[in-house]
Amino acid sequence: MQGAIQAIRYHGNILKQVVVQHMRVVDPITRSAIFSRFKSVSPALLEEHGFESTTILDILKAKGKGADGSWLWCTTDDTVYDAVKSMTQHNVGALVVVKPGEQKSIAGIITERDYLRKIIVQGRSSKSTKVGDIMTEENKLITVTPDTKALQAMQLMTDNRIRHIPVINDKDMIGMVSIGDVVRAVVSEHREELDRLNAYIQGGY
C-alpha cells in the first residue's frame, strides 16, 4: 500500500506533463503554444477543479447514510459472536463500539483482526466474550475528521497498518471509512483530473 501511495503522489506530480506528452501535436508551433498554455495553470486553479481535494466528508456523502459500513455499531456489552455476525451480514470488516445508550459517543472499534488475534488464536469463546474485552479502546484509536483529505487518510491508514478509520466531528462519531473507500476516491480523483487537464489543454476551460 505504501508503494501505491508513492505512485499516486508521483502520478499527481507528473500528471500535467503526461497529458501534454501524450497529445498528438505534430506542428512545433502548436506544441509550443500548448506548453505555454499548460504552464499557465496555477495551483489555485487545480485546487478549484478538484486536484487532491476530495475529503472524507465527500466519501461519506458518496456512500450515503444508508450504505453498509457508513454507520454500523455495536455496544461494549454485546458478545463478540453477535458483533462478528453483524459484520458478516453487512459485509464489513469493522464495527464502531459505543457504550449502551450512547450511540454517538465512541468507546472503541472492533475489527476482524481483533476477532482472529484475540478470540480464535487464543482459543476463547466468542459467545461468552464481550466486545468491550477485546476492542481497541477509544484512547488508542486513530481517527480523521470530515475535512481530512482522502490522500492524507490513505497515508495515515497505511502508516499505521489499519483498514478502517472512524470519522469524528466535535467528539461525535459521524461515520467510518475503509481503506477501499479511500483508495477508490483517490484513484477516481486523479482519473478525473487527467480528464480536466486534457480538456484545459484542448480549450475546455
Side-chain angles (χ1 to χ4, degrees):
M1 185 58 68
Q2 187 67 40
I5 291 178
Q6 292 175 350
I8 289 173
R9 288 188 182 277
Y10 178 73
H11 176 226
N13 290 334
I14 68 169
L15 195 54
K16 297 183 289 292
Q17 287 89 338
V18 171
V19 173
V20 176
Q21 288 171 2
H22 283 76
M23 291 292 293
R24 294 183 177 178
V25 180
V26 178
D27 182 3
I29 297 177
T30 304
R31 178 180 293 275
S32 177
I34 287 179
F35 268 88
S36 176
R37 181 180 179 85
F38 164 75
K39 290 177 181 178
S40 70
V41 180
S42 68
L45 179 61
L46 291 178
E47 181 68 20
E48 175 186 350
H49 289 289
F51 187 67
E52 293 189 3
S53 63
T54 299
T55 65
I56 294 300
L57 182 60
D58 294 328
I59 296 175
L60 289 179
K61 287 180 178 178
K63 293 178 69 172
K65 292 183 179 179
D68 287 350
S70 181
W71 181 227
L72 291 173
W73 55 276
C74 61
T75 73
T76 53
D77 289 342
D78 289 337
T79 65
V80 174
Y81 176 84
D82 287 336
V84 173
K85 183 178 179 181
S86 179
M87 286 188 231
T88 302
Q89 290 175 339
H90 293 92
N91 193 32
V92 296
L95 296 177
V96 172
V97 184
V98 299
K99 295 178 181 179
E102 300 180 24
Q103 183 176 341
K104 288 190 176 181
S105 180
I106 185 170
I109 189 173
I110 181 172
T111 68
E112 294 171 330
R113 187 178 299 175
D114 292 324
Y115 173 65
L116 291 173
R117 291 181 175 180
K118 301 173 184 178
I119 297 295
I120 298 299
V121 173
Q122 296 181 19
R124 300 166 70 178
S125 170
S126 62
K127 292 186 176 182
S128 62
T129 303
K130 299 293 185 182
V131 169
D133 294 335
I134 71 164
M135 70 179 185
T136 300
E137 297 180 352
E138 185 270 339
N139 60 357
K140 297 179 181 178
L141 281 182
I142 296 169
T143 64
V144 292
T145 69
D147 294 332
T148 302
K149 297 295 181 65
L151 194 59
Q152 293 173 333
M154 184 176 173
Q155 182 71 61
L156 187 63
M157 296 171 81
T158 302
D159 289 345
N160 291 278
R161 298 184 179 182
I162 56 177
R163 295 188 297 160
H164 304 85
I165 195 163
V167 185
I168 306 296
N169 187 27
D170 294 330
K171 297 183 179 180
D172 288 337
M173 170 81 182
I174 64 170
M176 183 160 61
V177 294
S178 68
I179 188 66
D181 296 328
V182 175
V183 169
R184 281 190 293 272
V186 171
V187 170
S188 175
E189 182 177 57
H190 280 72
R191 184 181 299 118
E192 290 172 1
E193 185 57 27
L194 181 63
D195 293 338
R196 291 190 187 99
L197 286 171
N198 193 22
Y200 181 86
I201 291 169
Q202 295 180 18
Y205 287 128

